[in-house]
Amino acid sequence: MGLVQSVVVPKTFLVKVGFALWATLLMVVVGTLMVGHWYTLPKPDKGDAVLASALSELRGPEQATAWMGVHVLYTECRCSQRVFDHLFSSKRIDALSEKILLVGADASIESRAIRSGFDVTVLTPAQLREQFALQSAPLLLVVNPAGEIVYSGGYTTRKQGPDIRDIAIITSLMQDNAAQELPLYGCGTSAELQSMLDPLGIKY
Amino acid sequence: MRALLNYVLLPTEISDFERKYLARMNRVGLVFFFAHLPVFVAISYFNGMGAISALLLTCAVLAGPTFAYFTFKNPRSLSLVFGFTAMLMGGLLVHFGQGPVQIEMHFYFFALLAMLALYGNPMSVVVAAVTVAVHHLMLWLYLPESIFNYDAPVWVVAVHAAFVVVEAAASCFIARNFFDNVIGLEKIVQARTAALDGRNADMRLVLDNVDQGFLTIDREGTLSAEHSAIVEVWLGKLPTGAKFSEYLGETNAEQGIRFELGWDEVLEDIMPLELCLDQLPDSLDIGVQHFSLSYRPIMNGEELDKCLIVMSDVTAEIERQRSEQEQLETLRIFDRVLSDKVGFLEFFRESDSLVERVATMQAELAGESEPDFTQLKRVVHTLKGNSAIFGIQTIAEICHEMESKIIEENCLPDPSVLEALQQRWVRIGKNLQALLGERSSHTLEIEDAQFESILTSVLERRPHEEIAQSIADWKLEPTKQRLNRIAVQAQGIANRLNKGAIGVEIEDAELRTCPNRWSGFWSSFVHVVRNAVDHGLETEDQRADAGKSSTGTLALKTYLDSDDFIVEIIDDGRGVNWPAVAEKAKQMGLPAENPQDLTMALFSDGLSTAVDVSETSGRGVGMAAVRQACEELGGRVSIESQDGAGTTIRFRFPQSTMSPNAEERLRSYRS
């Protein structure tokens, strides 16, 4: 007869352990959910050569002397959705050439954007990263007639704020007034950024 | 720090009330959190965050409190889980509540922090606050920028945190106060009840160890539960919710009724309260024990709220007073015996016979369905009068009590009263025997003149028959002896009634009567004497107003008139108030047409012109008793009275009733 010892684990101990696991897991889950919302996304540097080059190519020669607004929007991002709705329902500036870099495929949005007079360029997150050196959305870029990026930032003064200020920002810039660059809240488009913001893969 | 911990950490003991309260609140809490599920799914769905992920995430959060609800034995532990759950739910809400109101979703945290106070457990709030803090700390460690988004300065973060800390502190304060004053109310009540019980026990200890019983009644006369233990020893078990009159009535029905009637007067609030309380029963006899009752009102403003009844065992005090009274009586008896031994012994013998008659009559009357108390009443009255005259007040008082019962309630006295009478009489007899020995009943005393007369007769060799007759006459009682004794008694009565000194004239005509045959009449005759002094003779002032001498006078006479033996009492007082007698007679339905009718009425049972009843007279019993005694000897009574000029009452007997003739008296001595 071998020395077989059975270890009796108290029920209360199991309960405590189970409960501690539940609490820890949920703390982490909820914490990570919050990260995606609270994290201030990285904005591109206005002097970034790759971006400048890509924007120049995007503008094209026929609009070389016009103000250009570029909306970097992500179909999987709720913040980008609200900017879409805003763009399609607001009165746009006549002298402004506006383009949408649509990350991800969404035919409905694309057709709505075209119908609203926007030039739409559909990209994958990887293409956005490679061609424009961008990895977050929604991002507003404003390029003056000289081809300089005069604005690179978010749309709202606070996170998911209802007051989308793109018109005001662009108008101010077009009047040679300075515009404060707003923080960028939204979603990561690059795999690296998404991995950092959502390590558990719940959101993305 | 210790004080803070003591404030935040509840005492380990959980009262039944708290357990029940938390069981209900935990159930409510679980339902509340489960109600989040459809709401979160809907919010998430409409925000484009996905219903499925919302369902899964919310269920994951709900798993914890559900698990705890069914496994945790300590209800307080569940409230800690709820504190943690609340913050997780807040996180999910912020996540699902995307859009312009996402910031506003943070109000959920503050709302829940406040709501957690309902559990009355500061630790529940602390757990929630710590959860939030740990959450932020974790994020800061992981991604510092995620905490201080939009590059908020540290002071902004501090303000943000301050609100949580302040609200958590306030919520802890509310929770603790809720616990102490609402959930813990049962404990507070228990503690105060225990303190009161302690004080009551102390008080009870005091109350239970004094010789007084205390109980209280409310306005309706209902007994309160609180009372001293001795009350139940004396009166029996205190019935719950009963009235004091009922409780008292179980022991003494008469006093119970008296209290009930008296208490009604108290509540009527017509007469002064103190006066009404004085009318309530102030004594109670239970067997051989005597109690006094006193009443102390407990007022609520101007209105009587309750009444404290203090019951005291005064048996020892009563016994002491009785003993003192008996000692005084014994001294008076000695004094009487020394001054008039024969007279006192006659009184004793006569009264002894009366006591025996009272006992016999009461026993006989007790068996009758419609008893006639007339004879008993007269005997008791005669005993009372004679006892009072001879200074035996205890017997007079007992007789008065018996008489009151017979006359006022038309029923037999309580057997215990008769027993008291007999016992007292036996003690008097024993005292007398101790003083006189055997001489008390078998001694014949003669005067010097009688001794010399009989000695002379012997020396002169007078016939034996003549000497024998003279010796037999010794047994006859000179009426002078009786009249002298009655005169002393009359003067004593006058003194007691503040009539001042009175003159008593005696004329006996050297007559003698058979003491045994006449003892009943002489015993009753005292009523006539007493009436003459009490109602006939005026006070000194009244006599002065009437132009009379200040000293009232009585004349007591015995004499022979033809073949009749006359006993007469004459006073020079105010005379009989014949109109009053006539009115009383009419009220009693007696004839009142002529002087003869009025004379008969005056000697009728129950007729008295006296306003007040006293131990001396006033009930109209004595005159009827003396008339009966007169008639038993074959005599008749007449009365002559003139308004303001005095009264003569004359008893006329056949001469033959004075004593048996000589031959008859000697017959029993012949061999």
Side-chain angles (χ1 to χ4, degrees):
Chain A
M1 197 171 158
L3 292 173
V4 178
Q5 281 188 320
S6 61
V7 178
V8 178
V9 180
K11 186 181 175 185
T12 52
F13 176 77
L14 291 175
V15 168
K16 287 176 183 174
V17 169
F19 196 77
L21 286 173
W22 168 81
T24 306
L25 178 65
L26 266 295
M27 276 291 281
V28 171
V29 168
V30 175
T32 56
L33 288 177
M34 292 300 100
V35 168
H37 294 295
W38 292 358
Y39 186 69
T40 309
L41 297 166
K43 295 181 292 187
D45 184 2
K46 284 185 281 190
D48 188 293
V50 175
L51 178 60
S53 169
L55 290 176
S56 176
E57 187 178 336
L58 183 67
R59 183 158 65 171
E62 67 276 15
Q63 296 172 332
T65 59
W67 283 84
M68 180 177 72
V70 179
H71 305 281
V72 183
L73 303 171
Y74 185 24
T75 56
E76 301 297 325
C77 175
R78 285 294 301 157
C79 298
S80 298
Q81 295 285 340
R82 279 187 287 279
V83 175
F84 277 131
D85 294 339
H86 166 74
L87 294 178
F88 300 154
S89 61
S90 60
K91 182 175 182 349
R92 309 310 301 172
I93 301 169
D94 292 337
L96 178 67
S97 166
E98 288 186 283
K99 301 184 183 299
I100 294 175
L101 295 180
L102 184 60
V103 182
D106 188 321
S108 170
I109 292 174
E110 186 179 353
S111 61
R112 282 180 65 200
I114 291 169
R115 280 202 305 274
S116 299
F118 292 93
D119 290 332
V120 179
T121 304
V122 178
L123 301 165
T124 64
Q127 288 172 326
L128 182 68
R129 180 70 182 273
E130 289 171 8
Q131 294 173 19
F132 292 86
L134 297 175
Q135 54 178 340
S136 47
L139 169 68
L140 173 63
L141 298 168
V142 180
V143 181
N144 65 11
E148 298 165 339
I149 301 173
V150 293
Y151 182 87
S152 170
Y155 287 84
T156 56
T157 53
R158 66 178 177 88
K159 185 176 180 324
Q160 299 201 28
D163 182 19
I164 297 175
R165 301 190 56 78
D166 59 336
I167 301 291
I169 291 168
I170 296 169
T171 303
S172 176
L173 291 170
M174 290 173 72
Q175 292 171 354
D176 292 334
N177 293 323
Q180 183 187 2
E181 289 186 356
L182 299 176
L184 180 54
Y185 304 119
C187 310
T189 56
S190 69
E192 295 84 352
L193 191 55
Q194 286 183 350
S195 175
M196 185 186 73
L197 295 176
D198 183 22
L200 299 178
I202 298 170
K203 184 177 177 183
Y204 298 109
Chain B
M1 190 64 188
R2 181 181 295 276
L4 184 64
L5 279 176
N6 285 339
Y7 193 80
V8 173
L9 297 173
L10 299 178
T12 52
E13 185 190 354
I14 301 175
S15 68
D16 290 341
F17 178 81
E18 184 187 359
R19 196 171 290 279
K20 286 178 186 172
Y21 173 78
L22 287 182
R24 189 170 70 252
M25 285 307 297
N26 287 338
R27 193 163 56 247
V28 169
L30 192 64
V31 170
F32 171 74
F33 286 124
F34 265 88
H36 284 55
L37 185 61
V39 176
F40 281 12
V41 168
I43 289 173
S44 184
Y45 174 77
F46 289 113
N47 265 322
M49 299 295 291
I52 299 298
S53 67
L55 181 70
L56 293 175
L57 283 169
T58 307
C59 284
V61 172
L62 287 172
T66 306
F67 177 69
Y69 184 84
F70 290 106
T71 55
F72 284 13
K73 290 178 181 172
N74 188 331
R76 284 182 190 163
S77 301
L78 195 57
S79 66
L80 304 186
V81 175
F82 285 163
F84 181 71
T85 303
M87 298 302 103
L88 294 181
M89 286 294 188
L92 292 186
L93 181 63
V94 171
H95 173 62
F96 301 137
Q98 290 253 354
V101 293
Q102 190 176 37
I103 292 295
E104 282 68 27
M105 292 298 181
H106 285 73
F107 291 141
Y108 179 94
F109 293 102
F110 295 96
L112 267 287
L113 272 175
M115 287 167 68
L116 286 170
L118 282 171
Y119 287 94
N121 185 355
M123 276 307 292
S124 177
V125 180
V126 170
V127 165
V130 168
T131 302
V132 173
V134 169
H135 168 78
H136 283 73
L137 189 63
M138 282 172 55
L139 291 184
W140 178 74
L141 287 172
Y142 180 62
L143 276 176
E145 300 89 343
S146 66
I147 294 296
F148 305 118
N149 62 11
Y150 55 85
D151 298 325
V154 173
W155 70 267
V156 173
V157 177
V159 168
H160 188 96
F163 276 108
V164 176
V165 171
V166 168
E167 185 180 354
S171 192
C172 282
F173 176 78
I174 294 168
R176 182 62 198 225
N177 275 278
F178 190 57
F179 173 81
D180 287 339
N181 298 308
V182 180
I183 297 175
L185 190 62
E186 186 191 27
K187 288 178 184 172
I188 294 170
V189 170
Q190 279 175 348
R192 291 185 181 167
T193 303
L196 282 175
D197 285 347
R199 288 225 298 271
N200 284 343
D202 292 343
M203 182 60 75
R204 193 59 181 264
L205 195 64
V206 173
L207 292 180
D208 289 351
N209 287 280
V210 295
D211 292 334
Q212 286 184 306
F214 299 91
L215 35 81
T216 55
I217 55 173
D218 60 17
R219 273 184 66 83
E220 279 66 47
T222 305
L223 289 160
S224 67
E226 282 303 318
H227 60 278
S228 46
I230 196 71
V231 170
E232 293 199 348
V233 174
W234 291 337
L235 296 179
K237 186 164 176 56
L238 194 81
T240 309
K243 298 203 165 182
F244 180 65
S245 56
E246 298 165 354
Y247 186 43
L248 190 62
E250 288 177 10
T251 306
N252 187 318
E254 185 184 340
Q255 295 290 60
I257 293 169
R258 201 176 143 203
F259 178 86
E260 188 176 4
L261 296 174
W263 192 252
D264 286 343
E265 284 188 12
V266 170
L267 296 182
E268 281 171 4
D269 201 19
I270 297 172
M271 292 196 292
L273 177 61
E274 295 302 325
L275 187 64
C276 292
L277 292 177
D278 281 345
Q279 303 302 313
L280 296 172
D282 60 356
S283 65
L284 179 67
D285 292 341
I286 305 173
V288 295
Q289 285 183 290
H290 307 280
F291 300 93
S292 73
L293 297 169
S294 62
Y295 307 89
R296 296 176 192 177
I298 300 169
M299 307 301 289
N300 183 4
E302 294 290 316
E303 197 175 53
L304 176 70
D305 187 29
K306 292 179 179 176
C307 184
L308 172 68
I309 300 173
V310 182
M311 190 174 174
S312 307
D313 185 350
V314 292
T315 307
E317 176 65 14
I318 295 282
E319 289 301 320
R320 187 186 61 75
Q321 289 174 356
R322 185 171 292 171
S323 176
E324 283 181 1
Q325 192 178 17
E326 289 187 5
Q327 283 178 3
L328 283 173
E329 280 183 0
T330 304
L331 287 175
R332 276 200 292 272
I333 289 169
F334 289 169
D335 188 46
R336 290 276 180 170
V337 168
L338 289 175
S339 62
D340 181 14
K341 185 175 75 180
V342 175
F344 191 85
L345 287 176
E346 276 174 4
F347 153 74
F348 183 77
R349 276 194 294 272
E350 289 161 12
S351 298
D352 193 49
S353 165
L354 292 175
V355 171
E356 197 175 326
R357 282 182 68 190
V358 168
T360 307
M361 292 169 84
Q362 180 153 340
E364 290 172 355
L365 291 168
E368 294 182 10
S369 58
E370 292 182 1
D372 181 0
F373 299 117
T374 307
Q375 295 302 320
L376 177 63
K377 188 168 57 183
R378 289 174 183 167
V379 172
V380 170
H381 193 68
T382 301
L383 180 60
K384 180 180 91 169
N386 284 302
S387 299
I389 285 172
F390 280 89
I392 305 180
Q393 204 58 33
T394 51
I395 295 295
E397 285 172 3
I398 296 172
C399 288
H400 188 71
E401 186 181 345
M402 295 176 79
E403 197 176 55
S404 299
K405 190 81 174 176
I406 295 167
I407 294 173
E408 292 169 9
E409 300 179 30
N410 196 35
C411 64
L412 280 175
D414 194 90
S416 64
V417 181
L418 175 63
E419 191 180 347
L421 173 72
Q422 292 173 310
Q423 286 176 353
R424 177 62 190 139
W425 191 252
V426 166
R427 284 200 296 277
I428 290 171
K430 284 181 178 174
N431 288 337
L432 198 59
Q433 198 163 17
L435 178 66
L436 299 175
E438 290 302 312
R439 294 184 302 148
S440 61
S441 56
H442 303 294
T443 304
L444 178 64
E445 293 183 1
I446 59 171
E447 294 176 0
D448 285 347
Q450 291 174 312
F451 173 76
E452 286 168 7
S453 172
I454 199 69
L455 186 58
T456 303
S457 296
V458 171
L459 291 173
E460 290 177 352
R461 296 182 185 277
R462 311 276 300 176
H464 284 174
E465 286 294 326
E466 185 183 334
I467 295 171
Q469 188 174 332
S470 295
I471 292 173
D473 283 349
W474 291 352
K475 282 277 192 178
L476 296 179
E477 180 184 42
T479 57
K480 183 181 180 183
Q481 206 174 55
R482 279 285 183 180
L483 297 180
N484 279 334
R485 203 172 294 135
I486 290 168
V488 173
Q489 291 166 357
Q491 284 160 340
I493 292 168
N495 269 335
R496 281 214 311 278
L497 297 175
N498 296 319
K499 296 289 175 80
I502 61 169
V504 184
E505 297 168 2
I506 291 173
E507 292 177 21
D508 68 313
E510 296 185 345
L511 298 176
R512 288 172 179 263
T513 56
C514 174
N516 288 339
R517 183 180 289 179
W518 282 80
S519 64
F521 174 76
W522 291 122
S523 294
S524 301
F525 189 71
V526 74
H527 298 312
V528 184
V529 176
R530 208 165 49 206
N531 260 21
V533 176
D534 196 0
H535 304 310
L537 297 179
E538 308 94 331
T539 61
E540 288 183 13
D541 293 341
Q542 289 168 336
R543 290 182 70 83
D545 292 343
K548 295 180 179 179
S549 64
S550 61
T551 306
T553 305
L554 282 184
L556 301 172
K557 297 179 182 177
T558 57
Y559 59 92
L560 296 176
D561 180 22
S562 300
D563 290 335
D564 291 337
F565 169 55
I566 310 295
V567 179
E568 204 169 74
I569 179 169
I570 304 165
D571 70 71
D572 64 346
R574 59 172 65 90
V576 175
N577 184 354
W578 290 114
V581 173
E583 188 181 336
K584 286 275 183 181
K586 287 174 184 172
Q587 287 174 3
M588 294 171 65
L590 298 172
E593 301 302 322
N594 52 49
Q596 185 64 26
D597 289 344
L598 296 180
T599 300
M600 294 305 291
L602 194 62
F603 285 91
S604 296
D605 229 357
L607 191 143
S608 174
T609 57
V611 177
D612 297 319
V613 174
S614 70
E615 288 189 8
T616 309
S617 60
R619 278 176 166 159
V621 176
M623 296 301 272
V626 76
R627 191 185 100 183
Q628 183 187 5
C630 170
E631 289 173 348
E632 282 174 355
L633 288 170
R636 61 184 186 279
V637 62
S638 63
I639 186 165
E640 296 167 8
S641 180
Q642 286 188 324
D643 189 28
T647 304
T648 299
I649 299 176
R650 184 176 298 114
F651 299 91
R652 184 179 290 275
F653 303 93
Q655 197 176 329
S656 59
T657 59
M658 292 178 70
S659 67
N661 62 37
E663 181 57 31
E664 199 176 328
R665 277 185 281 136
L666 292 173
R667 189 178 300 146
S668 62
Y669 297 101
R670 296 183 195 281
S671 57

